[in-house]
Amino acid sequence: AMKVQELMSSEVESVTPRASLRHAAHKMRETGFGVLPVLDDGRLLGIITDRDISCNAIAIGRDLNSTDVQTVMTTDVATCFSDQEVDDAARQMSELHIRRLAVVDHDNCVTGILSVDDLARVSGELAGSVLEAATLEH
């Protein structure tokens, strides 16, 4: 069976908890990622999405230069281990209705991101079931 580390994207762009939301938004624009892990010395503290910025900052008039990432980030981050089996991680995504997991090692340091797009490269069926579950939420 295939392990998460064989499939995940290990190009992880991240931000620190004290970075401004403007900085996070620029980084999203440059990289094309709508989600960034929030790391402090390699440790995973949370995750910030483009939706967090638009709904929890722009919509309520927060200033993007003076509001930091930790103010609007989600601290409840779904993770999986790099040595976990892909099927297992996909089941986790389906159960949580999400499209991606932060991949951590056993010290809780982020080593990658596993997304539904990664799953699609090996199994349309697996990706399909995850997407179906994720859209139930919205």
Side-chain angles (χ1 to χ4, degrees), residues 34-76:
V35 58
L36 298 169
V38 183
L39 304 185
D40 199 13
D41 273 344
R43 305 252 163 222
L44 181 62
L45 297 189
I47 202 153
I48 187 161
T49 66
D50 44 15
R51 194 157 181 250
D52 292 330
I53 295 176
S54 55
C55 297
N56 301 326
I58 296 171
I60 57 175
R62 287 185 199 266
D63 179 63
L64 296 188
N65 293 314
S66 61
T67 308
D68 59 15
V69 165
Q70 61 195 350
T71 309
V72 303
M73 71 183 186
T74 305
T75 49
D76 183 15

Side-chain angles (χ1 to χ4, degrees), residues 61-110:
R62 287 185 199 266
D63 179 63
L64 296 188
N65 293 314
S66 61
T67 308
D68 59 15
V69 165
Q70 61 195 350
T71 309
V72 303
M73 71 183 186
T74 305
T75 49
D76 183 15
V77 190
T79 59
C80 64
F81 290 112
S82 47
D83 56 5
Q84 202 170 316
E85 290 187 4
V86 169
D87 291 1
D88 202 27
R91 192 172 318 114
Q92 219 174 313
M93 287 187 207
S94 293
E95 284 167 6
L96 295 167
H97 304 290
I98 55 179
R99 296 155 187 261
R100 58 180 76 82
L101 291 167
V103 184
V104 293
D105 61 18
H106 292 274
D107 294 321
N108 203 35
C109 286
V110 177

